Amino acid sequence: MNQKVRVFELAKDLKLTSKELVGELKKMRIEVKSHMSVLEDETVAYIKRLWGEDDMTEDIMVPGMMAPEAPVAAVKAEPAVITPLEVEPEPEPVAVPEPERPVLPAEYIEEPKSRKESKQAVKPEAPVAPPVVVPPTPLEDLPALKMPSSATVGEAAEKLGVKATELIKKLMGLGVFATINQRLDTDTLEVLLVEFGYRLEIEEMYGEDILALEEEQDRPEDLTPRPPVVTIMGHVNHGKTSLLDAIRSTHVMDREAGGITQHIGAYQVQLPKGNVTFLDTPGHEAFTALRARGAQLTDVVVLVVAADDGVQPQTIEAINHAKAANVPIIVAINKIDKPGVTTERIKQELANYNLLPEEWGGKTIIAEISAKKNIGIDNLLDLILLEAEMLELKANSKTLAKGVVIEAKLDRGRGAVASLLIQKGTLRVGDAFVTGVQFGRVRALNNDHGKAVESAGPGVPVELLGISGVPSAGDAFQVVASDKLARQIAMKRQMIKREQDLRKTHRITLDNLNTQIAEGQLKELKIIIKADVQGSAEVLKQSLEAISTDKVKLTCIHNGVGNITESDVLLASASNAIVIGFTVKPETGVENAAKREEVDVRIYKVIYEAVEDVRAAMEGLLEPHYHEVPTGRADVKTAFKLSSGLVTAGSQVASGKILRGSQAKVIRDGKILHTGKIESLRRFKDDVKEVSTGMECGIVLAGFTDYQAGDVIDAFQLEEVAQKL
C-alpha cells in the first residue's frame, strides 16, 4: 500500500514553508488545494529528485499534474520500427536513432532486462503512461465527525472506532506524544481526523450525540401551531417594559431598579386571536449578551424607538442582533403622545439602517403607539399576529421536551430555580432532564403568573424547580429517558469543565513574578460577585473586567448566584477582595463578619452604579502624582555660620512667600544644585513660619551648606494629584 504524504510534511523535509511548496507545485501544474493535500509516493519521489535542479520545465508530466490546456499537435512521437536486414549470417544490429519522446521520470521507463533481449526486439514497447493520481478529497467534502473540543485520546479512538494504541502511534507520527487519558487540543484533533478521512465538527457540550439519539424525529402529522415568541428590544428608557405592562395590564416597571430592566423577563399573553409569548430584554449597554440571547430565541422582534429620542446606540445594537438572527423586525414608535414629536424623523433614521417603512416601498412594518396612554396597542398586536401567521410556526408537542434556559437563580427557600422557554415537546412534572452541567427531575412548574401547572408545551415560558445547581443562562434544556442518563451526562460535563478551568488558570512563574516585582507598577483589585440571577452575574463580571487597564488589573475570584453569605466574606478576607452584591441581600451574620474581617461589602441595584464605584476603587490603587506649586523666590545676599554650626543663607524675598517646612531648590547660574526641605526660617533672631515679599531672612536647607551670593532659592509645595484610569 502506498504511503500518503501531505504537503506540509514534504515542505518540512525540503526545509520550505507550506505556502512556498504549494506555489511551486501549482507552477508545475500539480493539483493541490492546501497544505493538507495528499501526494502519492511517485509524486513525492519525483519532487524530491527535481528539487534543487535549475531547469524545471513546465511541460514535464508528473503524477497528479493537470494536463496542459492546449496539447501540442505539431510533433507526434511515433515509435521507431526496426526492420530486420536481408538473410545474412548473424547481421550486425543496425543502430536506428530513437525519435524524440516526452521526458518521463525514470521510474516510468521500463528498461530492457539484458542486452540480448534488446537485440531480439522487433518493435520497442510504447512508452508507459504515468499512473493517474486521484486527487485527495477536499476537507469540506469529508464526512463530519462530532467530537468535543478537548476530547481525550481514548474518547477520540472510541469515536473513530479504532484502538487507542493505533491512535497513539498516529499521534507519534505527527510529533505529538500523548497518553490514553490526555486531552487533545482542537488543532491536533483536526489533523488527526483528516488522517482517518473525517472532518472535525466541534461538539459544544458532551453528550449531544446521545441526546440526539434520545430525541424523536418529528412526523408531519404531529406538528401543531405554537404561540409566537416575540422579543421586545430597544434603547434604555424607550418604553419597552411600559409597552409590555400595557399589553399585560401589569406594572412590572414599577418593580425594576431605576425603571430599567435588569434581566430578561418572559411572559405569555392570552389574546382573542391566540397566545403570544413576550421576552423583555434590558436596554442599557452592559447587557449586550442578554439582548443577543433574546434575539436567538425569538420569532419576531419588536423594536421600540422613542419618538422624542430617536435611534440610539442600543437601538442600533438591537437591529444588528435581530438581523444576525435573521428575525423579522416590527418597529414600534413609542411616546407619540408627547407634544412636538414627529415620526417622520424616526422613519428617516431607521431607513439609514435598511429598515424602510412599507409606505416608502420597503418591507418594515411600523406601528405608532403610546404605551402610557394605551394608544395603538391593539393595532400592534394585530400586526404581530399577522407576521406570526405568515411564518407558519409549528412544533411537535408529543415528543420529549426541549428548550432553553432564559434565566436562573438560587432561591433560599426553593433552591435552584430556572426560567425556561419550551421550544418543542411537552414538559411535565416528574420528567428527568439535563441542562448544561446540571441535571434533575422536575419537582414543580410555575407559569409567568406564579401559578403551579402540571405541564408546558411549545412556546410557553415556565419556572422550573428541581435542578441540582444553578445553570447558566442560555444553556440548552432537554428531557431524557432516565435519571441515570441525565446524571451521567451532567457529571461528565462537570468533569470536562473543571479540567478546562484548570487549564485556563495562569500559574505564577519566577519569570513573570520577577517581572512584576521589578516593574512595581501592576496593581490588582480582587472582587467577589453575587447576583440574583446567573445572567446578571455574568454581565456584571464582564462589565467590571472590561475596565481593567495595564496599570490596574481587576480579577473576579468568585462569581455566584444567591445572597451574600459568611463564606463569601471569609473568602474575601483571605484573598484581600471586596464583595459586590447585585439585587441581593446579606444573610444573617454577614454584617458582623464583615466588620470583624474588615471586608468591604457593597450592594447595588443598578449595574452602572457598581461599575462607577469599582472604577473609583481601582483609581485609588494607583500611586498619586505630585505637582510642584511655587510659593516664593528669594535672592541669597550672603552666607554666614551660626554658633550651632549651621550655615544660613542671608536672603531677601523677591516674590511670593517663603514657608518653613516647604521644599526649595538652590539655583546657581541656571543650574539646580540642591533640592531639600526648609528646616529653619529666621527673621533677625526669631523663628518665623513665613516671610513675605521684600523682607530679609535667614534660610537653612537640609543637607546643603555651600551658599554663595547671587544664588536663588525657589520655594514650592508638593500637591498630590490622583491618577485616573
Side-chain angles (χ1 to χ4, degrees):
M1 181 182 290
N2 291 340
Q3 182 181 1
K4 294 183 180 180
V5 178
R6 298 193 181 277
V7 172
F8 75 90
E9 294 173 336
L10 180 58
K12 186 176 180 182
D13 293 340
L14 297 176
K15 297 182 179 178
L16 296 173
T17 65
S18 299
K19 187 176 180 180
E20 290 173 344
L21 183 56
V22 169
E24 292 295 334
L25 292 174
K26 288 183 177 178
K27 288 179 183 178
M28 298 165 63
R29 286 184 278 187
I30 297 178
E31 187 178 4
V32 292
K33 292 192 176 180
S34 69
H35 68 288
M36 295 297 294
S37 298
V38 177
L39 302 173
E40 295 293 342
D41 284 350
E42 295 86 351
T43 308
V44 173
Y46 178 71
I47 293 169
K48 286 184 176 180
R49 188 169 59 257
L50 283 185
W51 193 255
E53 296 180 6
D54 295 332
D55 187 14
M56 283 183 154
T57 307
E58 290 190 357
D59 293 335
I60 296 175
M61 288 296 294
V62 193
M65 180 183 290
M66 295 169 58
E69 292 181 3
V72 180
V75 180
K76 185 175 180 181
E78 294 289 343
V81 179
I82 302 174
T83 307
L85 298 176
E86 305 221 347
V87 179
E88 287 183 9
E90 298 202 3
E92 291 287 335
V94 180
V96 180
E98 292 187 5
E100 291 183 75
R101 62 179 64 191
V103 181
L104 294 172
E107 60 265 33
Y108 299 135
I109 301 176
E110 187 177 345
E111 296 183 358
K113 295 182 180 179
S114 66
R115 196 175 190 87
K116 186 176 180 181
E117 291 176 3
S118 178
K119 292 179 180 179
Q120 294 175 352
V122 177
K123 183 178 179 181
E125 294 183 5
V128 180
V132 179
V133 179
V134 179
T137 307
L139 185 63
E140 57 272 13
D141 294 339
L142 292 175
L145 183 64
K146 277 195 172 185
M147 198 172 289
S149 58
S150 56
T152 64
V153 174
E155 290 170 350
E158 184 180 349
K159 291 272 188 180
L160 289 167
V162 299
K163 292 183 179 179
T165 52
E166 183 181 345
L167 213 58
I168 292 172
K169 288 179 183 177
K170 183 68 72 174
L171 287 169
M172 290 174 68
L174 296 172
V176 178
F177 296 90
T179 62
I180 190 170
N181 293 320
Q182 187 170 335
R183 296 198 175 275
L184 304 174
D185 57 44
T186 306
D187 293 337
T188 306
L189 280 172
E190 185 176 0
V191 175
L192 186 64
L193 262 63
V194 170
E195 290 289 328
F196 286 91
Y198 291 97
R199 171 173 53 87
L200 176 63
E201 185 175 329
I202 297 297
E203 188 179 47
E204 296 298 332
M205 296 285 285
Y206 170 82
E208 285 185 352
D209 53 345
I210 303 174
L211 295 176
L213 294 174
E214 289 281 314
E215 190 176 348
E216 299 175 4
Q217 294 296 323
D218 296 332
R219 295 179 300 177
E221 58 269 23
D222 293 334
L223 298 178
T224 55
R226 66 167 176 83
V229 178
V230 179
T231 299
I232 301 179
M233 304 177 76
H235 192 69
V236 60
N237 284 335
H238 274 202
K240 300 180 298 299
T241 308
S242 299
L243 171 60
L244 191 57
D245 283 344
I247 295 172
R248 301 177 69 234
S249 301
T250 59
H251 299 280
V252 175
M253 191 184 69
D254 296 342
R255 303 193 297 270
E256 296 285 2
I260 301 171
T261 304
Q262 302 293 320
H263 45 74
I264 289 181
Y267 316 95
Q268 189 168 57
V269 178
Q270 295 181 352
L271 302 173
K273 296 182 180 179
N275 297 343
V276 180
T277 298
F278 285 95
L279 298 181
D280 182 17
T281 61
H284 58 81
E285 59 186 357
F287 286 92
T288 302
L290 296 188
R291 277 193 298 279
R293 191 183 313 137
Q296 291 166 0
L297 295 174
T298 193
D299 301 314
V300 179
V301 165
V302 173
L303 181 66
V304 179
V305 185
D308 60 342
D309 200 15
V311 175
Q312 295 298 321
Q314 274 70 65
T315 312
I316 300 169
E317 190 181 90
I319 293 171
N320 294 334
H321 285 316
K323 287 183 176 179
N326 197 23
V327 176
I329 300 174
I330 297 176
V331 178
I333 302 178
N334 194 19
K335 304 182 182 181
I336 60 170
D337 57 305
K338 286 195 171 184
V341 299
T342 172
T343 59
E344 293 301 314
R345 179 179 66 88
I346 307 300
K347 293 177 182 178
Q348 183 62 51
E349 292 178 358
L350 291 170
N352 296 332
Y353 299 95
N354 295 324
L355 294 180
L356 287 173
E358 289 181 324
E359 59 265 29
W360 291 9
K363 297 181 179 179
T364 304
I365 300 173
I366 294 182
E368 299 180 5
I369 64 168
S370 171
K372 283 289 181 76
K373 299 201 174 173
N374 207 10
I375 300 173
I377 303 298
D378 292 337
N379 179 44
L380 175 62
L381 293 175
D382 289 340
L383 293 174
I384 291 172
L385 290 172
L386 179 62
E387 186 69 33
E389 186 179 344
M390 297 294 293
L391 294 174
E392 296 183 355
L393 303 171
K394 293 183 179 181
N396 183 3
S397 60
K398 298 180 181 179
T399 185
L400 297 176
K402 185 178 181 181
V404 178
V405 176
I406 300 173
E407 278 296 354
K409 62 183 179 180
L410 188 63
D411 189 277
R412 186 173 183 180
R414 301 183 296 170
V417 180
S419 297
L420 303 177
L421 178 65
I422 308 300
Q423 294 177 311
K424 65 179 293 187
T426 301
L427 180 64
R428 297 178 176 84
V429 174
D431 285 348
F433 63 86
V434 59
T435 173
V437 297
Q438 308 297 340
F439 68 99
R441 181 178 285 274
V442 180
R443 195 170 72 237
L445 292 174
N446 299 323
N447 62 14
D448 58 314
H449 295 285
K451 296 181 179 179
V453 294
E454 290 297 319
S455 62
V460 178
V462 287
E463 191 178 60
L464 169 71
L465 280 72
I467 318 175
S468 59
V470 180
S472 298
D475 281 349
F477 172 93
Q478 185 164 344
V479 171
V480 294
S482 65
D483 291 340
K484 182 179 179 181
L485 179 59
R487 180 186 294 272
Q488 175 189 346
I489 294 174
M491 290 300 180
K492 185 68 173 179
R493 288 179 177 179
Q494 290 175 15
M495 184 183 70
I496 293 173
K497 184 176 183 298
R498 187 161 51 248
E499 292 176 357
Q500 290 174 343
D501 291 342
L502 288 174
R503 283 202 300 273
K504 290 179 183 176
T505 303
H506 298 286
R507 301 294 183 186
I508 295 177
T509 64
L510 289 177
D511 294 334
N512 61 36
L513 182 62
N514 289 335
T515 302
Q516 292 186 17
I517 292 174
E519 292 176 354
Q521 296 179 351
L522 180 63
K523 305 290 183 181
E524 185 177 20
L525 176 64
K526 297 177 181 177
I527 59 171
I528 294 172
I529 297 174
K530 296 298 286 291
D532 57 340
V533 295
Q534 186 67 34
S536 297
E538 292 171 3
V539 170
L540 181 58
K541 178 175 179 286
Q542 293 170 5
S543 300
L544 293 177
E545 288 180 344
I547 61 177
S548 290
T549 66
D550 295 336
K551 296 179 180 179
V552 182
K553 178 184 177 183
L554 187 141
T555 304
C556 178
I557 61 175
H558 178 60
N559 180 21
V561 176
N563 290 334
I564 299 171
T565 63
E566 289 190 49
S567 299
D568 299 324
V569 175
L570 294 176
L571 176 59
S573 175
S575 308
N576 194 23
I578 63 174
V579 181
I580 294 177
F582 185 67
T583 63
V584 295
K585 60 183 181 180
E587 292 187 350
T588 306
V590 168
E591 187 175 349
N592 294 334
K595 288 181 180 179
R596 184 175 65 251
E597 301 292 338
E598 297 182 352
V599 171
D600 189 10
V601 178
R602 303 287 184 94
I603 308 295
Y604 299 94
K605 291 186 176 180
V606 181
I607 193 169
Y608 49 76
E609 291 179 0
V611 173
E612 289 303 318
D613 281 4
V614 171
R615 186 192 298 275
M618 291 173 66
E619 290 175 348
L621 289 175
L622 297 173
E623 295 293 336
H625 286 164
Y626 291 94
H627 177 63
E628 293 183 4
V629 180
T631 58
R633 183 186 182 96
D635 298 326
V636 178
K637 302 298 183 181
T638 184
F640 51 89
K641 194 172 184 178
L642 301 177
S643 58
S644 59
L646 294 174
V647 178
T648 301
S651 310
Q652 184 177 19
V653 180
S655 62
K657 293 180 180 181
I658 305 297
L659 305 175
R660 186 177 65 193
S662 65
Q663 299 289 318
K665 300 174 184 177
V666 180
I667 302 173
R668 182 180 300 163
D669 298 330
K671 297 181 180 179
I672 299 174
L673 300 181
H674 178 73
T675 302
K677 183 180 178 181
I678 298 177
E679 286 189 334
S680 174
L681 183 65
R682 298 172 68 90
R683 179 163 168 76
F684 302 109
K685 294 184 180 181
D686 300 327
D687 287 328
V688 293
K689 292 183 178 180
E690 63 178 48
V691 179
S692 301
T693 304
M695 295 184 178
E696 295 181 344
C697 61
I699 302 173
V700 177
L701 262 67
F704 189 77
T705 58
D706 186 22
Y707 302 103
Q708 293 183 11
D711 289 349
V712 175
I713 297 177
D714 270 345
F716 62 90
Q717 288 184 327
L718 293 176
E719 186 178 273
E720 187 177 292
V721 179
Q723 287 195 61
K724 299 293 183 181
L725 288 174

